[in-house]
Amino acid sequence: MEAVLSSENKTAEFLKSLEMTENKVSIPELNRKIEEAKLRLASTPLPNKKQEDWKYSKIAPFLTKNYKESRSNDSFDLSRFQTTEIKSNLLVFVNGYFRDDLSSITETQEGVIIQNMTEAVDLFKQDIEEHFASGSKPSFFIDLNTVYHSNGVFIKVDENVIGETPIHLLHILSGDNTISQSRNLILLGKNSKLEVVESQFEVDSKDSLSNHVSEYFVGENALLNYTLIEKGSENALIHSNYFIQKDFSKINSNVFSLKNKLIRNNHYARIDGKDTETRLNGSFMPSEGEQVDNRTMLDHRNVRGFSEEVYKGILFEKSNAVFNGKIFVDQKAQQTNAYLNNSNILMDDSSRMHSKPELEIYADDVKCSHGSATGDFDSEAQFYLQARGIGIDKARNMLIHAFMDEVASKIENSEVENIMKGFLDSRMIELDK
Amino acid sequence: MENIIKIKNLHATLQDGTEILKGVNLEVKAGEIHAIMGPNGSGKSTLASVLAGREDYIVTEGEVEYMGKDLLDLSPENRAREGVFLAFQYPVEIPGVSNINFLKTAINEIRAYKGEGPIAAKDFLKMVSEKSKLVELDNKLKNRSVNEGFSGGEKKRNEIFQMAMLSPTLSILDETDSGLDIDALRIVAHGVNTLKTPENASIIVTHYQRLLDYIIPDVVHVLWNGKIVKSGPKELAMELEDKGYDWLKKEVITE
């Protein structure tokens, strides 16, 4: 009989196959966290469909490849990515490595620190010691990132500072069998404000894996506006964001999963403070066997938190998507007001949508509602538009836009909103043939 | 007088093969209003849908000549561009598409079809303000999503507003009176009467005679079991109201 590998052994095998170096830094506390993650990782089963967390998305084919780190010195024509048109301080990462030569931090401002993580470890030792890996929750991919991440960015906005220029983190994945893992730490001081745009693209890349992790610590009365644009093609992308909120803070997160073989978003808000506002929104549009898996968590731990979550998907040709959104309301989190909605359109019978909104409430004075609806394209509405003289292609385009633009319209920065709507438009025209 | 539409021996079935229209003949000339009445399930709404090009039905026999063209050969949007307008029995709600943007797109698509450039913003707004007065459409409804959250009466008035904006050659009103209170009915009828010209025509599909108190038809037809079984002057509608459809069924069977 052939020996069947236990899932832990599969993990060992996967880790052995990676050509990567473990992280070791000058901060003992950090090294302790990395060591912990390493131990935990070794005893964590390789993600597979038997786990609740990976029940509906096929991750297995992406864990059989021999990934290697790849520090590239290639130059790229950044204008092709369009998001570079956004007025911002641009930080470019290629395969998870910061590229000073491609980045342009032109709008410097007192009280806004933007630092390559490798250098920040020495310069902002205390901040990093206190926050690094303290907002994220251990899991296979988080630990993998903690142990093996390349580098990333450290951003700190001081108390009472309004960040005037958006910070744009642009990830480029390049080459085959590449693993790209950035690790970012963003700290917003009391009464501060910051906008972060993150975008992810690929250039001549296949059989590769991205696994980015960011932790955002949003201070008292601070505001974070965040937009994520995922525009890959042939690869798998695991994207994890952890937002930790203090009293009176606000975050607005808008996530657009335009294309990739597999996209998994783990977006988690831990609401420690009272009187907060949290908005997590997303749009996704998989096609041709692609998978998008959105996991969100609104973890209300204090009083009078307001949260709103809108996720919308359009599924084309044999695609598969998951929305698993959880609202957790702790016993202490009285007067929480939480709203969650997921709606999806299946463009044909070959696609699958798994929608699972969850409420777990331990407080007795709360207002929570959730809804989920998945249906076919509204052909009656299409006929209505045609009956008024609007051509069939235009009619379909109008209806798809009407559905999908809701989330893009929530972006506060109109430059980002317009670019995003442009992406949606070209993606929809490409898909609705 | 010039023929607007000429329907000859029209047969139509549902996708499953059930025959609904079993040989409809109808001619409507410019300047005329025709009413099509009949009991539930007689095929009235099917006729309206087939003329507008709804894909739920298959035409198995017969022909429809509209302004010298083969209507059945045209896509739904090209029928609209050629001047056919269907006022829906159940106007569709379209969240996320504003009423105004929808109409502007429709007008420009029709203009492009005729080889004309887009309408000037100024002219468009002027037209909106004029035509919405006709059906007393609330200003705020114009900027809302198409029919979303509109009351039954508002939806029907919005249909007539669209009709006024597109100024069709042939209007087909499918049970426009259903679900309307007497005030809304009056407003809708006023709209239709005002839009009447010697060059256009209307087909009014209705179950009740009520609407015909306000819109006086030139000819009344009775559709029953997929065929027009009786046609007559406007008095026929009143006779139907008095005697009910059963009277007619008996008469048809005896014949």
Side-chain angles (χ1 to χ4, degrees), chain A residues 378 380-381 383-392 394 398-399 402, chain B residues 54 77 80-81 85-86 88 92 94-95 97 102 106 109 147 159 162:
Chain A
D378 189 350
E380 184 61 19
F383 177 65
Y384 191 72
L385 297 181
Q386 285 180 273
R388 297 296 175 258
I390 298 172
I392 184 162
K394 186 139 198 165
M398 277 175 85
L399 292 170
Chain B
R54 193 188 288 273
E77 56 266 42
R81 291 162 181 173
F85 181 91
L86 172 68
F88 281 55
V92 186
I94 311 180
V97 175
F102 158 61
E109 289 265 297
N147 294 324
E159 293 292 289
Q162 291 170 28

Side-chain angles (χ1 to χ4, degrees), chain B residues 73-88:
Chain B
D73 202 33
L74 299 173
S75 65
E77 56 266 42
N78 280 347
R79 295 181 197 197
R81 291 162 181 173
E82 291 283 354
V84 176
F85 181 91
L86 172 68
F88 281 55

Side-chain angles (χ1 to χ4, degrees), chain A residues 130-277:
Chain A
E130 189 186 333
H131 295 101
F132 183 86
S134 74
S136 57
K137 286 176 68 172
S139 72
F140 180 84
F141 284 105
I142 297 297
D143 288 334
L144 186 73
N145 179 288
T146 303
V147 180
Y148 295 103
H149 66 266
S150 45
N151 62 8
V153 66
F154 171 81
I155 300 169
K156 187 180 179 186
V157 186
D158 286 343
E159 274 187 22
N160 304 318
V161 171
I162 306 297
E164 282 156 12
T165 311
I167 295 173
H168 181 186
L169 312 178
L170 176 81
H171 300 280
I172 302 168
L173 188 63
S174 173
D176 300 344
N177 292 90
T178 300
I179 188 160
S180 167
Q181 304 195 90
S182 74
R183 180 64 171 240
N184 311 295
L185 183 62
I186 296 95
L187 309 177
L188 274 73
K190 190 175 171 181
N191 303 326
S192 71
K193 184 180 164 182
L194 183 68
E195 176 176 359
V196 175
V197 177
E198 191 170 6
S199 60
Q200 200 263 345
F201 301 93
E202 294 173 13
V203 178
D204 301 326
S205 176
K206 63 176 189 322
D207 299 324
S208 296
L209 174 74
S210 301
N211 177 32
H212 300 298
V213 178
S214 300
E215 293 169 280
Y216 292 84
F217 289 83
V218 185
E220 197 179 317
N221 198 36
L223 167 65
L224 171 72
N225 283 322
Y226 174 82
T227 306
L228 171 63
I229 300 164
E230 298 168 320
K231 201 169 181 284
S233 170
E234 298 296 321
N235 300 295
L237 166 65
I238 319 283
H239 190 282
S240 306
N241 269 353
Y242 292 87
F243 301 107
I244 317 299
Q245 288 187 257
K246 287 200 169 160
D247 293 353
F248 307 105
S249 64
K250 279 187 203 175
I251 65 155
N252 297 310
S253 163
N254 296 305
V255 174
F256 303 89
S257 307
L258 288 157
K259 185 171 174 58
N260 223 333
K261 282 266 159 61
L262 171 73
I263 295 175
R264 167 64 172 256
N265 293 311
N266 303 304
H267 291 172
Y268 179 111
R270 195 181 88 201
I271 304 158
D272 288 343
K274 60 184 182 193
D275 298 286
T276 52
E277 284 181 31

Side-chain angles (χ1 to χ4, degrees), chain B residues 152-219:
Chain B
E154 283 167 345
K155 281 181 185 170
K156 294 297 173 78
R157 277 191 274 158
N158 198 24
E159 293 292 289
I160 307 304
F161 168 57
Q162 291 170 28
M163 178 176 151
M165 290 292 289
L166 303 178
S167 49
T169 306
L170 176 68
S171 310
I172 304 159
L173 280 67
D174 187 9
E175 307 260 5
T176 298
D177 50 338
S178 68
L180 289 189
D181 62 32
I182 198 74
D183 290 329
L185 196 68
R186 233 179 245 140
I187 292 167
V188 163
H190 171 71
V192 175
N193 288 329
T194 312
L195 296 171
K196 184 183 168 174
T197 71
E199 285 80 38
N200 63 23
S202 297
I203 297 174
I204 294 171
V205 172
T206 181
H207 185 82
Y208 302 103
Q209 177 260 345
R210 205 169 63 131
L211 180 64
L212 307 179
D213 286 341
Y214 301 95
I215 304 172
I216 310 299
D218 297 290
V219 189

